Amino acid sequence: MIKKSLLQNISLFSKILKHTNNVNSIMEFGSNIGLNLLAIQQLLPDINLSSIEINSDAIEYLKKIENLNIYHTSILEFTVDRKRDFVFTKGVLIHINPEELQKTYEILYETSNRYICVCEYYNPTPVGIDYRGS
């Protein structure tokens, strides 16, 4: 399952990143175990990678990724320390209280000096969805 997800992510990010220029640093908001970051690292081996992740169990997986700067915190509690060329979320915003989405968008914006990528479920107005059976 992980290998299939990794291959799918390599395909996705190769399509996304071919529309960018001069990306030297990337930060993922809500990285979980790092499958997106591993895919990006396959495509851009010398990239400066950062991760924001709140889950302690996921952090243990992230620690195994070489040259990854990890912020063990909530997205909403993250303090921007420097800008990155490319920041993104993938499947994370459904976990954010709709009342906090604007703040989340502002943090994404403040963290990026060039590109912001949001790979998320979409609906014009926030709605509850069935997520993994709950």
Side-chain angles (χ1 to χ4, degrees):
M1 171 95 163
I2 289 177
K3 186 174 183 177
K4 181 179 177 184
S5 293
L6 183 60
L7 292 173
Q8 290 171 335
N9 285 333
I10 290 171
S11 176
L12 172 68
F13 284 104
S14 68
K15 293 172 188 169
I16 292 169
L17 292 169
K18 76 178 181 181
H19 297 284
T20 65
N21 294 304
N22 301 318
V23 172
N24 296 306
S25 58
I26 294 178
M27 174 175 263
E28 180 175 14
F29 284 63
S31 304
N32 196 276
I33 64 171
L35 294 179
N36 299 318
L37 297 169
L38 287 169
I40 290 168
Q41 205 170 50
Q42 290 291 312
L43 297 166
L44 303 169
D46 296 324
I47 197 74
N48 179 312
L49 288 177
S50 297
S51 164
I52 299 172
E53 178 55 49
I54 194 171
N55 182 310
S56 296
D57 293 333
I59 292 290
E60 294 307 311
Y61 286 93
L62 292 172
K63 288 179 180 177
K64 297 174 186 176
I65 300 175
E66 291 185 29
N67 303 317
L68 175 63
N69 188 17
I70 302 167
Y71 296 84
H72 187 178
T73 188
S74 159
I75 292 169
L76 296 169
E77 295 175 5
F78 175 68
T79 301
V80 179
D81 58 348
R82 65 183 175 89
K83 293 187 178 278
R84 276 71 172 189
D85 297 328
F86 184 98
V87 300
F88 74 99
T89 66
K90 183 172 177 265
V92 170
L93 296 183
I94 62 169
H95 302 288
I96 302 289
N97 181 325
E99 294 176 9
E100 299 290 351
L101 285 173
Q102 184 62 40
K103 180 179 179 181
T104 304
Y105 299 145
E106 289 170 9
I107 295 169
L108 280 164
Y109 178 79
E110 291 169 7
T111 306
S112 176
N113 65 11
R114 185 163 236 186
Y115 300 103
I116 298 172
C117 179
V118 178
C119 302
E120 300 287 343
Y121 298 98
Y122 175 75
N123 197 64
T125 57
V127 296
I129 62 167
D130 182 32
Y131 180 74
R132 296 184 183 174
S134 58

